[in-house]
Each structure stands twice: as C-alpha cells, then as structure tokens.
C-alpha cells in the first residue's frame, strides 16, 4: 500500500534536518519495501514568501489529503515585524486546528549514551523512555468566558475558564490508552481531582474508558505530585495523560530531563490517529544554513509517524535502533557533543542511513 506523506520543511534549519530525514525515508523505500508518495509544501515563513500566507491554501489541501504530515520547523527574525496573522507561528497553529489535532504526544527519551546531558544524576535518567499525552485543543487555553474586566471599585480582574466536556476527555483518554497498548501498557492520568470539579469528571471518564482496555494498568496522580515524581524518579512512568495546561508544563519538564532539545520528536494526532510529526525544537536561526543542526529529532519524528499513524512498528523500531547505533559509534552533532568532536547534519543523517542498510542486510 502506498502512503501519502506531506512534507513541510519550513524555515531556518527546517530544510536541512528534513533533507537528512528524507534520506532515511528513501532508505526505507529502497531496503525495506516501504512505499510512500511524498508531497512537499510551503509553511511558515516559506509559505509567506511563496504565497503571502503562513498556511497557504495548497499546503492545507495537501495536508488534508495526506495520511500523515512530517514537519520541520518554522520562524525566523525576518518575520517578526509581520502582522500577527501573517507570522510563521500562525501557520502552525492554524494547521493544528484545521486538522483537529487534539492529542499531543511528547516523548522524553534519553539514550543511555547521552545521560550526562541531563541535569539529573545519570542513573536516574539513563534509558528514560516516557510519553506524555497532552490534550491540545481544549481546557483553560480555549475556555470561554475569558478576559480582563473592571470591577465596581475600579480594580481590574483577569479571568479564564477551565472547561472539559465528557467527549473531549473520552477521546484524549482513548488516544492515550491506544498509545499505552503500543508500549509498556501502563498509563498514569494526571489531574487535580482533590480541588477541581473538572478534574473529578476527568477522572471518572478516564476510569470509564479504562474498562475497554483491561490490559493497561491505570493509575492516577495529582499534578503537584506528578511534577515532583517526574524529577524524583522519572523512569517509573510509561505513558502519562493530562489536560492542556498541566501537559504544557509537565511535558517541558520531561523534555528538559533529557537535556538535549535536538533529540526529541513529537506528534499531534486526530481522532483517527492521522497526525503531524515534528521535532520539539524551533528553526534555530543562529545555526541555520551552517550544516550544524542535529537531524535526529526529525528522524525520530519519522519513526513516530510510522508507528502511530501508519502502523509500521518494525520500521519505527529499525530507525530508533539505527539512532542508538550511531550514538554507540560516538557520533555527535555539536549540541550533544559536550564540547568534544562533532559531525554535521549531513554526516549524522548518512550515518543513520548506513546503520539502517546494515540492519537490512542482517
Ligand atoms: P529554537 O528551538 O529554534 O532554538 C533554541 C536553541 O537550541 C538555539 O541555540 C538553537 O541553535 C538550538 N537548537 C534547536 N534545535 C537544534 C538542533 N536541531 N540542533 C542543534 N541545535 C538546535 O528556539 P528559539 O531560538 O526560541 O526560536 C527560534 C525560532 O523558532 C523562533 O522564530 C520561534 O518562534 C521558532 N519556533 C518554532 C517552533 C516550531 O516550528 N514548532 C518551535 C519553537 C520555536
């Protein structure tokens, strides 16, 4: 079966890291019989330059028709003076909402070879492999009413609304249980049910959905305890599921446990597990065009795309093992070299391809 993948390289280091990732994709096609049709499209600053919009119509159409979307990075100082609606970031936000990508997957993976990059003791984090599933399109970031109003005494007050409908909780819970089924089958739901009614409902619905997943071990933590446990003993977790606000904070904490922004992929899925896959880092204008960027977060985003949207679990495993192999060989881009010898973007990408070819020959 031929799969349609939309390829949005974007700005800054986006085209460089995407180039290396497409080399990996080509290798899967040549060596492992994977069949994909790629459609390239402009987004962010590149969308504005080519079509006057950060999310041009043809780009949205290509993404709507694709089975999955591979995304590089967007943004750059040259676009900062534009109207808010025309800025590159707007293109990404519009794409997420147009495709109803409500389930945000943020893995925190720390290859044992890079354990020294973490600010935590290496024995606490070496081999960390944790997935945070964050609800992305609801909760307090979108709830109405919201605003800043003036009270009778002249003082102003700001207010937001934390609201979740049952169907929103149910679909993020199902997404998280499905992901847990593809991993170690342990799911921890994070809420604040001791204080918030929204969380009370959250917990009730998550427990109801759990009945459909008897093989997944479900636990619950209050968010304050969860944040403490994340830095105390992060390897206790397999998958965590939580709301938009709590997930925003916890996923950044988890990412920083790994200490290497150039290594972390992410995904945003819709209700049918169609998704957009991207590194968590931005367009790194400071190193763009220099061939220094670490392509591994984007290459690992491709592995997630294969696993979660296309069901190609073996190919995803091959890519992740190939990344482990190049790290074992001692290859490091500058961001993970800790001041030691480093290789460039192209060399790192080619090393992953070489490791994949060796795996195909075995
Ligand atoms: P950034 O993630 O682009 O860069 C932060 C630091 O990390 C920089 O020093 C950069 O050189 C380094 N870095 C990032 N990715 C790297 C990689 N793959 N290899 C090696 N080093 C890497 O964040 P920023 O500097 O705050 O933002 C730069 C631009 O990116 C801004 O325009 C911002 O709006 C945009 N941005 C885009 C996204 C996205 O596309 N999803 C996310 C965050 C920021």
């Amino acid at each position: 079966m031929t799969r349609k993948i939309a390829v949005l390289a974007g700005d800054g280091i986006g085209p460089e890291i995407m180039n290396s990732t497409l080399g990996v994709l080509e290798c899967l096609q040549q060596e492992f019989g994977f069949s994909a049709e790629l459609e390239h499209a402009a987004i962010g600053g590149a969308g504005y330059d080519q079509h006057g919009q950060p999310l041009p119509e043809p780009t949205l159409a290509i993404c709507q028709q694709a089975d999955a979307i591979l995304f590089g990075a967007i943004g750059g100082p040259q676009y900062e003076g534009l109207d808010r609606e025309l800025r590159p970031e707007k293109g990404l936000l519009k794409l997420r909402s147009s495709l109803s990508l409500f389930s945000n997957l943020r893995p925190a993976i720390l290859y044992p070879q890079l354990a020294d990059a973490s600010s935590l003791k290496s024995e606490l984090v070496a081999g960390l492999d944790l997935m945070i599933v964050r609800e992305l399109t609801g909760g307090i970031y979108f709830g109405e009413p919201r605003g800043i109003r003036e009270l009778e005494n002249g003082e102003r007050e700001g207010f937001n609304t934390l609201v979740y409908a049952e169907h929103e909780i149910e679909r993020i819970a199902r997404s998280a249980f499905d992901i847990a089924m593809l991993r170690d089958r342990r799911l921890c739901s994070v809420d604040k049910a001791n204080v918030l009614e929204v969380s009370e409902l959250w917990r009730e619905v998550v427990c109801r959905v759990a009945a459909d997943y008897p093989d997944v071990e479900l636990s619950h933590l209050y968010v304050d305890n969860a944040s403490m446990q994340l830095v105390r003993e992060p390897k206790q977790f397999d998958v965590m599921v939580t709301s938009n606000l709590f997930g925003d904070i916890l996923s950044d904490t988890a990412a920083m446990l790994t200490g290497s922004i150039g290594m972390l992929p992410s995904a945003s899925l819709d209700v049918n597990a169609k998704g957009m896959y991207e590194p968590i880092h931005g367009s790194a204008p400071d190193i763009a065009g220099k061939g220094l960027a670490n392509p591994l977060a984007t290459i690992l985003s491709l592995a997630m795309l294969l696993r979660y949207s296309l069901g190609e679990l073996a190919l995803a495993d091959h890519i992740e093992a190939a990344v482990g192999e190049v790290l074992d060989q001692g290859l490091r881009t500058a961001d993970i070299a800790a001041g030691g010898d480093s290789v460039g973007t192209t060399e790192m990408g080619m090393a992953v391809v070489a490791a994949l070819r060796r795996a195909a020959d075995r």
Side-chain angles (χ1 to χ4, degrees):
M1 191 193 341
T2 300
R3 294 348 216 292
K4 270 195 186 165
I5 302 178
V7 177
L8 314 184
D11 311 319
I13 59 170
E16 301 164 54
I17 53 181
M18 189 58 82
N19 209 16
S20 291
T21 306
L22 294 182
V24 171
L25 194 50
E26 199 179 300
C27 174
L28 296 182
Q29 292 176 287
Q30 289 169 354
E31 305 281 346
F32 294 86
F34 175 62
S35 180
E37 191 183 300
L38 308 185
E39 289 236 51
H40 296 259
I43 185 125
Y48 175 76
D49 291 340
Q50 291 173 33
H51 303 270
Q53 287 293 331
L55 176 58
E57 275 299 322
T59 301
L60 179 58
I62 285 172
C63 292
Q64 280 165 335
Q65 284 152 23
D67 296 309
I69 300 148
L70 192 57
F71 187 98
I74 43 104
Q78 67 272 44
Y79 304 110
E80 275 163 19
L82 291 174
D83 281 354
R84 195 161 286 282
E85 282 302 302
L86 295 176
R87 289 198 202 149
E89 293 73 16
K90 200 69 188 180
L92 179 56
L93 294 178
K94 270 193 186 157
L95 185 57
R96 282 184 186 146
S97 62
S98 305
L99 298 177
S100 302
L101 303 175
F102 69 92
S103 177
N104 186 213
L105 277 51
R106 291 274 304 258
I109 306 159
L110 184 54
Y111 283 86
Q113 302 89 327
L114 301 178
D116 287 341
S118 174
S119 50
L120 292 194
K121 289 189 201 111
S122 63
E123 65 267 26
L124 282 182
V125 286
L128 176 70
D129 181 1
L130 146 75
M131 177 74 82
I132 297 191
V133 180
R134 166 189 171 196
E135 201 289 326
L136 200 59
T137 55
I140 197 162
Y141 291 173
F142 294 90
E144 297 283 350
R146 60 192 292 156
I148 299 173
R149 63 190 161 207
E150 197 166 312
L151 302 174
E152 276 177 10
N153 65 5
E155 189 190 3
R156 292 184 306 154
E157 83 179 356
F159 57 100
N160 290 87
T161 303
L162 173 53
V163 56
Y164 270 112
E166 275 183 292
H167 78 273
E168 292 176 296
I169 306 171
E170 177 160 347
R171 68 182 182 180
I172 190 70
R174 283 198 187 282
S175 180
F177 276 107
D178 286 341
I179 285 152
M181 286 296 289
L182 292 173
R183 296 174 44 102
D184 201 32
R185 304 190 172 188
R186 290 180 294 118
L187 177 63
C188 177
S189 172
V190 176
D191 60 37
K192 191 71 184 169
N194 50 344
V195 178
L196 301 173
E197 285 80 359
V198 180
S199 283
E200 229 177 278
L201 183 67
W202 176 282
R203 201 174 270 220
E204 188 191 311
V205 174
V206 170
C207 288
R208 195 167 71 210
V209 173
D212 293 338
Y213 296 86
D215 294 336
V216 177
E217 182 191 313
L218 174 66
S219 60
H220 303 272
L221 278 184
Y222 298 136
V223 63
D224 40 347
N225 189 10
S227 69
M228 190 178 80
Q229 296 299 332
L230 263 182
V231 288
R232 195 184 73 88
E233 201 196 330
K235 284 196 270 186
Q236 68 183 287
F237 296 112
D238 177 30
V239 182
M240 299 172 99
V241 61
T242 192
S243 61
N244 204 342
L245 171 64
F246 297 160
D248 192 0
I249 299 164
L250 292 181
S251 63
D252 268 17
T253 305
M256 283 309 109
L257 292 178
T258 73
S260 38
I261 193 174
M263 293 293 301
L264 291 180
S266 76
S268 306
L269 307 183
D270 75 3
V271 74
N272 298 313
K274 168 174 166 172
M276 182 161 93
Y277 296 81
E278 56 182 313
I280 68 159
H281 60 71
S283 58
D286 52 333
I287 56 167
K290 297 183 180 162
L292 295 174
N294 185 347
L296 294 178
T298 317
I299 291 173
L300 291 168
S301 298
L302 172 63
M304 286 186 80
L305 182 156
L306 291 162
R307 174 170 290 121
Y308 294 112
S309 281
L310 304 189
E312 297 281 0
L313 309 189
L315 294 181
D317 287 346
H318 278 308
I319 293 179
E320 286 161 3
V323 169
E325 204 175 309
V326 301
L327 294 176
D328 277 340
Q329 288 163 12
L331 291 184
R332 304 280 187 271
T333 43
D335 57 309
I336 51 172
D341 291 346
S342 61
V343 298
T345 313
T346 309
E347 203 175 337
M348 185 57 108
M350 282 167 58
V352 175
V353 169
L356 276 172
R357 287 197 201 284
R358 283 194 294 278
D361 289 343
R362 281 198 282 270

